[in-house]
Amino acid sequence: MKYHEMEQAEIERVLNTNVSNGMSSKIVENRRKKYGWNELSEGEKQSAILLFFSQFKDFMVLVLLGATLVSGLLGEYIDAIAIMAIVFINGILGFFQERKAEKSLEALKSLSAPQILLLREGIWVKTDSRDAVPGDIIKFATGDKIGADIRILIANNLEIEESALTGESIPTTKTTHPILGIQPSLGDLSNMAFMGTLVTRGNGIGIVTATGMTTAMGKIADMIQSVNALITPLQRKLEQLGKILITVALLLTLLVVIAGIYHGHDAYTMFLAGVSLAVAAIPEGLPAIVTVALSLGVQRMIRQKAIVRKLPAVETLGCASVICSDKTGTMTQNKMTVTHLWSSGKIRNMTADTESSNEWAVENEMKQLLTFGVLCNNSTIKILGEETVIDGDPTEGALLMSAHQAGIQQNIIRQQFSIEKEYPFDSSRKLMSVIVKDSHGKRFIITKGAPDVLIEKSESILWNGKQRLLNSELQNEVKNAVNELAGEALRTIAVAFKPLHTNVFPQREQEVEKGLTFIGLQGMIDPPRPEVKKAVEECRQAGIKTVMITGDHAATAHAIAKQLGILNVDDQVMDGQALNELSIEELEEKVEHIAVFARVTPEHKLKIVTALQNKGHIVAMTGDGVNDAPAIKAADIGISMGITGTDVAKEASSLILLDDNFATIKAAIKEGRNIYENIRKFIRYLLASNVGEILVMLFAMLLSLPLPLVPIQILWVNLVTDGLPAMALGLDQPEENVMKRRPRHPKEGVFSRKLGWKIVSRGFLIGIVTLIAFIVVYYRDMNNLPYAQTIAFSTLVMAQLIHVFDCRSEVSVFSRNPFGNKYLVAAVVSSIVLLLAVIYIPVLQPIFHTVPILLSDWLLIIGMSAIPTFLLAGSFIFQKKAKA
């Protein structure tokens, strides 16, 4: 269908829809059955079977399977079957971990789906873009992503960026009239909007003409089918570290094998032991475990109302040293309420009990101020039962409610006046204007916006019923009123107007918004969120500075910042004008002493981010508008608003706040720090365990001792003792002081803060105590090697299971409640139960080469196992007391 050639009535007929009311639920359901969901089909995913078999493609696992085959051919059937079973179970665990990560990614995609406004049965409904069907009526505005292919019916200064389709970076100006007589390209279809493109200016309404794979974007969907898996800097570091550790582990394993053969051990037994030791010792699963830990952390963040769009942000969160946050809605409740009006030099308190509807008739300027605030407005009042609800922008909603309170009804006013043209609000102009016609056919322009801007645009002022020249004296009157209201933390909106003596409307805002007559001010307050003050204080304790960035008046911003504890004694407030006069270099000299930036435009944000970054800070920057996108993208952690944020801002961000709440940023930083610490915890645990396993075998071979562990026992330790507790560490709760530490330096190494020493020292002791336990029992009865091996096996397992509790803290095993991580307790208990099973269940004993041991032997096992953890923890406490 050539919808671009049709008039509105013909499009409505062809698509069987109605622009005034939209479609019914029944018609929508029928069309969805016919056309499907409005989404692009994804490329083929790896099947579950292929994903499962991919778990066995690791080189060392293949070598182990080859060795197992040799065992079978040599008649060692029990060993072969047991090793196969362990490898199989390990594969199943890996499979479910990858599936879990995959499902969490799908959940993320769903939560990040673009939102659109559809007209259904006369009501505008906000929903996911996938719900749209052909014939739907859709409304869009600056910052929105177009959710389907659309024929535009209404366009107010509408411009759409279509580079994703046309390659043209300059936004296209959109119109509504039919395009006839040519065969246009996509870039020439000025009355059409396409899925995936971005509204950069104005607003409009259109009819959905195509969805899903039938859209222009769908036809080139093969270009966006595959999404490469994102690898974080930490994962890259661990991959590089893994290669080094693999080399070291293989060399040590080879040394064990050579030493064993040299001292008379059977070559086949040493080969199988070497392969098993290599499989157990090589931490090839580290990057995979990091992925799972990041995935689980991302899911926890979602529960705390923060969606991570870019995985590296999880790591970067722990390094954040400055949070630059919007005020409105993020630090405040976004429930604007007009409390004061100003006109003709008088301030009226809207909340005073003395107000009566009779007084409004006397003060015409205030009535006109309220009436014009209703007309220059895109929001609406809805009465739902006994509740009055605002549908639209909170600031505009406050203007409607102030008029409503004074007895001025929106529906009546909009019957008396018709809006003929709109010049949408723009953050750089800080104004919105409409051309209206009254019941007498007279046209005039109404403009609302920032008082300081409107004062400059106005030539006169209404003063006690008369129009007077807005001279410097009256300008000062207005400015003093703004300052007085701002001093009470009130945000002020000014209203002005101008008669229009022609039927030809100006096309550009610059022609409209000049020579105005100033009417008055409405002062409104958006109260601070109660939880933000505590969050700001916690950030300060964590070494993170909070900077408020707002378009509000400096006095308003100062008052709110003071209430929230953002301003310290030495902190300063800077406004946009002062910011304009500074170069980047000059701003760098002052930026660390500025806690509030007021009267700024989104363009200023990029300058602020750059200055802070040049001073060495890791910056988190919030934003919601199209013009915020450059600053969000430039920041180390770009944060967009989930409720008020435009799709452009969300696309540029790495973190989305579902509740637009500053406290959620603090919670995300805390979670980011905890995820990194948990990754360090299981690195510490896994590598210390691996060091212990290698050293007990190496020292035994160097001392010409029998094998303290048989291959199947080594593999069992790798599967059960290493795997389950390590994963449980990834679920550990933050330490109490996690938000009382300085931010982590982004270049900090994985083994910083003495982690390398802890790994080597604990691993060395785990190996030594295991070997000592083996030697004590072996020399007690040299004819009963399986007994000594069972003791060594049990000591190694218990030493690791005790050590895992030490890994929960950077300080000492005694600094945290051992039962604080229920998942870890369950993992340890499960490992102990499985250990007892392979020792005491007769059918498992020949498989794992174990024998039942006496109760008295457990005293030796537990005593030796406790040494690596409690010896070093005790020495730490002794040193701490000595320093005190």
Side-chain angles (χ1 to χ4, degrees):
M1 286 284 183
K2 295 184 177 181
Y3 292 105
H4 61 274
E5 296 182 351
M6 300 180 187
E7 297 282 358
Q8 176 178 323
E10 186 181 0
I11 299 170
E12 286 183 89
R13 180 182 58 76
V14 170
L15 291 171
N16 191 21
T17 187
N18 185 287
V19 172
S20 301
N21 296 306
M23 296 187 296
S24 67
S25 300
K26 187 175 181 181
I27 294 174
V28 168
E29 193 59 37
N30 289 335
R31 294 202 178 173
R32 184 163 296 121
K33 288 176 183 175
K34 181 178 179 181
Y35 297 105
W37 293 101
N38 178 33
E39 56 192 3
L40 302 180
S41 63
E42 296 186 9
E44 286 187 23
K45 292 183 180 178
Q46 190 176 22
S47 68
I49 294 173
L50 288 176
L51 183 62
F52 175 71
F53 282 112
S54 71
Q55 306 302 314
F56 306 99
K57 66 182 182 182
D58 181 74
F59 174 71
M60 293 311 301
V61 173
L62 293 174
V63 172
L64 182 61
L65 290 174
T68 307
L69 179 62
V70 174
S71 296
L73 295 174
L74 294 176
E76 301 288 343
Y77 300 118
I78 293 178
D79 278 0
I81 293 170
I83 293 171
M84 286 287 287
I86 285 180
V87 171
F88 182 75
I89 293 169
N90 204 41
I92 289 175
L93 288 175
F95 167 76
F96 280 113
Q97 284 173 4
E98 286 200 33
R99 288 287 283 180
K100 188 173 184 66
E102 208 174 73
K103 287 186 181 297
S104 65
L105 182 62
E106 288 173 3
L108 267 176
K109 278 185 180 177
S110 172
L111 285 166
S112 302
Q115 298 276 300
I116 56 174
L117 268 176
L118 295 176
L119 184 64
R120 297 270 174 85
E121 297 178 340
I123 299 172
W124 289 104
V125 180
K126 193 168 189 177
T127 182
D128 289 343
S129 60
R130 72 190 298 264
D131 290 335
V133 296
D136 262 325
I137 311 302
I138 187 170
K139 183 190 286 187
F140 41 88
T142 304
D144 289 345
K145 180 183 279 188
I146 300 295
D149 282 5
I150 296 164
R151 170 63 161 88
I152 300 167
L153 302 179
I154 297 175
N156 293 312
N157 291 337
L158 183 61
E159 292 182 0
I160 298 179
E161 193 265 301
E162 299 178 333
S163 60
L165 285 171
T166 65
E168 178 58 60
S169 58
I170 299 172
T172 303
T173 301
K174 293 296 181 178
T175 59
T176 59
H177 56 79
I179 299 172
L180 304 170
I182 58 171
Q183 189 62 37
S185 64
L186 286 179
D188 297 325
L189 292 174
S190 59
N191 61 5
M192 300 288 293
F194 303 101
M195 174 190 269
T197 58
L198 299 170
V199 181
T200 58
R201 176 183 169 91
N203 57 55
I205 293 176
I207 296 180
V208 174
T209 58
T211 57
M213 296 304 290
T214 61
T215 61
M217 186 66 79
K219 291 170 185 174
I220 54 169
D222 58 304
M223 296 171 61
I224 55 172
Q225 288 291 350
S226 58
V227 178
N228 294 327
L230 192 62
I231 297 177
T232 73
L234 179 61
Q235 286 172 306
R236 277 196 295 271
K237 283 182 189 174
L238 289 178
E239 282 184 359
Q240 294 164 1
L241 173 66
K243 290 173 185 176
I244 297 169
L245 293 175
I246 286 171
T247 304
V248 173
L250 286 175
L251 288 173
L252 289 173
T253 301
L254 186 61
L255 184 59
V256 170
V257 174
I258 293 171
I261 295 172
Y262 177 78
H263 288 103
H265 288 286
D266 177 67
Y268 163 72
T269 303
M270 289 310 304
F271 170 70
L272 192 57
V275 173
S276 300
L277 189 60
V279 169
I282 292 172
E284 76 286 339
L286 266 184
I289 293 177
V290 171
T291 302
V292 173
L294 289 171
S295 169
L296 293 172
V298 164
Q299 290 179 57
R300 285 197 297 272
M301 285 190 186
I302 290 172
R303 288 195 289 273
Q304 294 185 45
K305 308 294 186 185
I307 295 179
V308 177
R309 291 189 68 253
K310 299 173 184 176
L311 216 49
V314 178
E315 294 169 34
T316 315
L317 278 167
C319 307
S321 58
V322 176
I323 303 172
C324 295
S325 173
D326 284 332
K327 175 183 73 69
T328 305
T330 309
M331 292 185 164
T332 58
Q333 297 179 31
N334 209 15
K335 295 178 180 177
M336 300 298 292
T337 305
V338 173
T339 58
H340 292 75
L341 300 177
W342 177 93
S343 69
S344 300
K346 290 170 281 187
I347 291 180
R348 178 179 293 279
N349 188 341
M350 293 279 288
T351 59
D353 294 332
T354 56
E355 304 286 13
S356 71
S357 58
N358 292 331
E359 291 180 271
W360 294 108
V362 177
E363 302 187 22
N364 288 323
E365 287 95 37
M366 288 192 177
K367 186 171 184 180
Q368 195 169 358
L369 173 66
L370 293 165
T371 302
F372 284 4
V374 171
L375 289 170
C376 190
N377 202 310
N378 281 321
S379 296
T380 54
I381 290 179
K382 290 183 179 178
I383 310 297
L384 302 177
E386 297 181 359
E387 189 179 3
T388 304
V389 178
I390 296 297
D391 181 8
D393 178 74
T395 299
E396 292 192 331
L399 300 179
L400 294 182
M401 290 303 294
S402 64
H404 183 77
Q405 184 181 336
I408 299 171
Q409 302 299 320
Q410 181 186 26
N411 57 342
I412 296 174
I413 292 297
R414 289 190 175 175
Q415 286 173 7
Q416 296 172 347
F417 298 86
S418 60
I419 297 171
E420 299 196 328
K421 188 171 179 61
E422 178 184 325
Y423 301 86
F425 176 81
D426 184 276
S427 55
S428 59
R429 287 171 30 247
K430 300 180 183 176
L431 300 174
M432 171 188 173
S433 299
V434 291
I435 295 177
V436 299
K437 184 170 73 172
D438 65 15
S439 55
H440 303 293
K442 293 181 179 178
R443 291 182 174 84
F444 50 94
I445 293 159
I446 302 172
T447 301
K448 78 168 191 297
D452 53 342
V453 178
L454 263 188
I455 290 171
E456 297 298 322
K457 300 280 186 183
S458 298
E459 293 180 351
S460 58
I461 184 170
L462 280 186
W463 197 270
N464 294 325
K466 296 180 181 179
Q467 193 167 318
R468 293 176 57 182
L469 178 69
L470 186 59
N471 55 28
S472 57
E473 182 184 346
L474 289 176
Q475 281 187 8
N476 288 332
E477 286 269 2
V478 179
K479 290 174 183 177
N480 290 337
V482 170
N483 289 330
E484 184 179 344
L485 294 171
E488 297 182 35
L490 296 179
R491 179 186 178 191
T492 49
I493 297 291
V495 178
F497 79 105
K498 179 177 70 173
L500 190 64
H501 302 296
T502 176
N503 293 332
V504 180
F505 302 155
Q507 293 302 308
R508 308 299 296 177
E509 299 91 338
Q510 293 88 338
E511 302 169 50
V512 174
E513 295 161 350
K514 64 181 181 180
L516 301 170
T517 299
F518 198 94
I519 302 174
L521 304 167
Q522 297 202 41
M524 58 187 73
I525 190 167
D526 181 10
R529 291 180 184 261
E531 67 274 18
V532 169
K533 186 173 184 179
K534 182 183 177 185
V536 168
E537 178 55 32
E538 286 185 21
C539 285
R540 179 177 285 116
Q541 292 175 2
I544 303 168
K545 180 180 179 179
T546 302
V547 176
M548 178 193 286
I549 299 179
T550 177
D552 277 351
H553 195 278
T556 306
H558 183 281
I560 294 288
K562 204 166 182 183
Q563 288 180 39
L564 294 173
I566 291 172
L567 278 169
N568 286 326
V569 178
D570 299 327
D571 286 332
Q572 302 169 16
V573 178
M574 179 177 282
D575 64 20
Q577 187 175 348
L579 191 58
N580 278 332
E581 294 170 358
L582 296 178
S583 66
I584 285 287
E585 291 75 19
E586 290 170 330
L587 180 58
E588 285 174 29
E589 295 301 314
K590 299 183 176 184
V591 73
E592 292 186 298
H593 302 291
I594 301 170
V596 177
F597 288 93
R599 308 304 290 150
V600 298
T601 64
E603 287 76 9
H604 286 136
K605 288 186 175 183
L606 186 57
K607 191 174 182 179
I608 296 166
V609 168
T610 305
L612 286 166
Q613 288 175 328
N614 290 349
K615 294 295 286 185
H617 288 287
I618 303 299
V619 183
M621 170 63 80
T622 70
D624 54 10
V626 174
N627 291 343
D628 291 331
I632 291 173
K633 199 166 186 177
D636 300 279
I637 308 158
I639 304 172
S640 63
M641 304 296 112
I643 299 172
T644 60
T646 60
D647 286 321
V648 180
K650 290 175 185 175
E651 287 287 324
S653 68
S654 48
L655 191 73
I656 299 175
L657 305 183
L658 292 177
D659 57 357
D660 293 10
N661 191 341
F662 177 85
T664 304
I665 303 175
K666 186 271 302 181
I669 288 175
K670 184 177 182 180
E671 188 61 53
R673 287 188 174 191
N674 188 47
I675 288 170
Y676 185 81
E677 293 305 314
N678 285 351
I679 289 171
R680 280 171 51 91
K681 289 173 189 176
F682 59 64
I683 288 174
R684 174 181 169 184
Y685 175 68
L686 280 177
L687 294 188
S689 299
N690 290 359
V691 168
E693 291 164 22
I694 290 177
L695 291 184
V696 70
M697 297 291 282
L698 178 61
F699 291 154
M701 295 303 96
L702 294 176
L703 294 172
S704 301
L705 292 168
L707 287 176
L709 300 167
V710 297
I712 193 69
Q713 291 171 348
I714 296 170
L715 291 173
W716 188 95
V717 171
N718 183 54
L719 174 67
V720 178
T721 313
D722 287 358
L724 293 175
M727 287 306 304
L729 280 174
L731 297 167
D732 209 8
Q733 293 299 312
E735 292 189 65
E736 288 183 6
N737 66 342
V738 73
M739 287 298 282
K740 293 180 181 176
R741 304 174 190 163
R742 299 290 303 172
R744 174 174 56 84
H745 194 280
K747 293 184 179 178
E748 176 184 285
V750 177
F751 295 114
S752 63
R753 290 179 267 151
K754 299 182 179 179
L755 184 65
W757 161 249
K758 289 173 183 175
I759 289 169
V760 173
S761 60
R762 268 62 163 191
F764 178 82
L765 285 175
I766 288 171
I768 289 295
V769 298
T770 302
L771 187 62
I772 291 173
F774 172 74
I775 291 172
V776 167
V777 177
Y778 175 67
Y779 281 112
R780 196 169 64 194
D781 184 0
M782 297 178 68
N783 294 318
N784 195 355
L785 180 58
Y787 202 98
Q789 288 173 330
T790 303
I791 296 292
F793 173 52
S794 303
T795 304
L796 178 65
V797 170
M798 292 305 298
Q800 291 184 8
L801 293 180
I802 293 172
H803 172 58
V804 76
F805 290 100
D806 190 27
C807 295
R808 293 187 64 221
S809 173
E810 293 274 342
V811 183
S812 161
V813 70
F814 300 112
S815 65
R816 299 195 74 180
N817 177 4
F819 302 105
N821 184 340
K822 61 184 179 182
Y823 301 105
L824 183 59
V825 172
V828 169
V829 170
S830 300
S831 297
I832 292 172
V833 169
L834 291 170
L835 172 64
L836 296 175
V838 299
I839 293 174
Y840 292 107
I841 295 177
V843 72
L844 297 178
Q845 290 166 358
I847 297 173
F848 291 95
H849 300 269
T850 55
V851 294
I853 56 179
L854 299 174
L855 186 61
S856 57
D857 292 319
W858 282 103
L859 297 176
L860 171 67
I861 291 167
I862 293 171
M864 297 303 292
S865 301
I867 289 174
T869 295
F870 291 98
L871 177 67
L872 293 174
S875 68
F876 174 83
I877 292 171
F878 177 77
Q879 289 173 11
K880 196 173 181 182
K881 286 183 177 178
K883 286 180 181 178

